[in-house]
Amino acid sequence: MIDPTPLPILVLLPGMDGTGRLFDPLLHALPPNVAVQVLRYPTDQVLDYPALVERVWQQLPLDRPFVLLGESFSGPVAVSIAARRPSALLGLVLCSSFVRNPRSALAPLSPLLKLLPLRHLPFWPMDALLLGGFSTASLRSALAAAIAQVTPQVLRARLQSVIAVDASQALVATDVPLLYLQARHDRLVPASASILIRQLRKDARLVAIDGPHCLLQAAPTEAAVHLQRFMHELAQARVALNGS
């Protein structure tokens, strides 16, 4: 029997490329009854985390229930939005993400970022970090195309933002159900990132999925299943709360 309960909108915040193009595999894996809004960041304009939070806030569907998903780089944005407790927000999802610099040992190297020739770096290190053993020709092509759209200046600024970010107190201030999608083979964001999130939000639900850092791209079907389950639970809870 089909559940008639209407699902909230799924609002997707992209990874460091900010283009939203890399959500295509997930969009194809989700059924037609899941309404999705993909938000995008400028590819040629430097915006720090607070500026991105304001940009996202202006685009949220505040007149209709929604679930907010922050992928990788966008985790702190999603958490900061949730900390404001918008009335239409039903749940928060973090995917391969963090609230503090996930590689704090590399922070002292941040001054070197301005010297890094991002446009001319070989692609294979990125492939190894983001896709690893799950790499395919189509995924490599999509990843390279998305990153190529972003100026080196913007990429450097976003890397600097990750190094300096600390959204832990914002996470404590959130009160909606939280789902964390963890990639079992993530070479970029270690398990310590999800451990911290669960320390700050002990009620957070963690789901581990076989996949690399680019989890929604390499394992979209399994991710979609968990997202739908989470959204169904939130929708049903909302109906029960409203008594109709």
Side-chain angles (χ1 to χ4, degrees):
M1 182 176 179
I2 299 176
D3 187 347
T5 307
L7 296 179
I9 298 174
L10 178 61
V11 179
L12 301 176
L13 305 185
M16 187 165 291
D17 66 289
T19 65
R21 292 182 55 175
L22 294 175
F23 285 128
D24 284 353
L26 178 65
L27 297 181
H28 289 304
L30 289 167
N33 68 316
V34 177
V36 179
Q37 179 181 359
V38 178
L39 300 188
R40 297 170 174 84
Y41 304 148
T43 58
D44 59 355
Q45 180 183 358
V46 172
L47 297 175
D48 59 13
Y49 271 126
L52 289 172
V53 169
E54 295 305 322
R55 180 184 177 89
V56 168
W57 183 264
Q58 296 300 321
Q59 300 179 69
L60 293 174
L62 299 179
D63 59 341
R64 179 176 168 184
F66 69 96
V67 170
L68 187 61
L69 183 151
E71 179 188 33
S72 187
F73 170 81
S74 283
V77 178
V79 167
S80 297
I81 291 289
R84 295 186 178 187
R85 303 190 177 189
S87 59
L89 179 64
L90 298 189
L92 176 64
V93 182
L94 300 177
C95 180
S96 303
S97 196
F98 49 86
V99 291
R100 289 181 190 157
N101 178 359
R103 295 289 181 182
S104 58
L106 299 180
L109 302 179
S110 62
L112 300 179
L113 282 177
K114 62 183 178 181
L115 305 176
L116 199 62
L118 294 175
R119 186 67 79 191
H120 304 291
L121 289 176
F123 184 71
W124 68 263
M126 193 171 301
D127 180 33
L129 272 176
L130 303 181
L131 295 172
F134 297 81
S135 181
T136 65
S138 61
L139 287 176
R140 288 193 297 273
S141 177
L143 183 59
I147 293 173
Q149 292 187 42
V150 191
T151 66
Q153 181 186 19
V154 169
L155 287 174
R156 287 193 189 94
R158 288 178 184 166
L159 286 169
Q160 291 282 10
S161 292
V162 170
I163 289 172
V165 74
D166 187 349
S168 56
Q169 291 307 306
L171 181 62
V172 172
T174 63
D175 63 348
V176 292
L178 170 59
L179 172 66
Y180 188 97
L181 298 180
Q182 180 187 53
R184 285 197 177 100
H185 307 281
D186 196 331
R187 295 177 177 177
L188 188 62
V189 175
S192 57
S194 61
I195 292 173
L196 173 61
I197 287 169
R198 296 186 79 187
Q199 288 174 343
L200 297 172
R201 278 287 307 268
K202 298 187 184 303
D203 61 327
R205 180 190 308 178
L206 185 145
V207 173
I209 299 174
D210 279 326
H213 180 73
C214 289
L215 186 63
L216 301 180
Q217 294 72 37
T221 301
E222 187 172 355
V225 168
H226 290 289
L227 286 173
Q228 290 175 78
R229 184 176 300 148
F230 185 58
M231 294 170 70
H232 273 293
E233 291 174 359
L234 294 174
Q236 290 171 349
R238 182 171 182 272
V239 169
L241 183 63
N242 293 336
S244 60

